[in-house]
Amino acid sequence: MKLFDLTGKVALVTGGNGGIGLAMSKAMGEAGAKIIIAGRNEEKNTQSIKILNSQNIECKSFQVDVVEENSCNKLIENVISNFGKLNILVNNAGTNIR
C-alpha cells in the first residue's frame, strides 16, 4: 500500500543535494514526484542526481544560491521551462555560522 502518491507532481528541494534535503528528495521521488535539486555545489548536485537516478527517480539539478534574487529567478525559469509547472517547494537550504 502506498501511503502517499505524488505521481505527476514536480517538487523543488533547495539544499536537496545532501542530508535532510536529499532524504526528502528520495522520499518524494519514491512517491512518484519529479524532483529538482537546487544547490550551490554543482559536484554535490551531480552526485545526488546519480543517487536518485539509480532509484529510477526522474530528476534534474540546478546550481543556485538562494541568497541571490537573480539566481532564484533563474531557477524558477529553468524549472518551468524544463517541467512546465511547480507543485511542491521544500525550502531546505540553510547555513550556519561557526
Side-chain angles (χ1 to χ4, degrees), residues 11-78:
L12 167 63
V13 183
T14 64
N17 59 11
I20 293 170
L22 181 55
M24 288 188 286
S25 296
K26 285 181 191 177
M28 289 188 294
E30 289 169 357
K34 297 174 185 174
I35 304 298
I36 299 127
I37 290 180
R40 289 184 300 175
N41 185 317
E42 191 60 37
E43 185 176 323
K44 284 180 69 177
N45 290 351
T46 301
Q47 289 303 315
S48 299
I49 293 300
K50 286 180 184 177
I51 292 167
L52 296 178
N53 281 335
S54 74
Q55 296 177 355
N56 296 317
I57 296 171
E58 186 176 343
C59 56
K60 192 165 182 99
S61 70
F62 296 105
Q63 190 171 18
V64 65
D65 187 344
V66 297
V67 300
E68 293 183 17
E69 184 177 355
N70 288 336
S71 184
C72 292
N73 289 335
K74 184 176 180 184
L75 169 65
I76 297 304
E77 289 172 10
N78 284 331

Side-chain angles (χ1 to χ4, degrees), residues 82-95:
N82 282 272
F83 291 93
K85 63 182 178 179
L86 178 61
N87 303 105
I88 302 165
L89 171 62
V90 179
N91 265 335
N92 177 69
T95 187

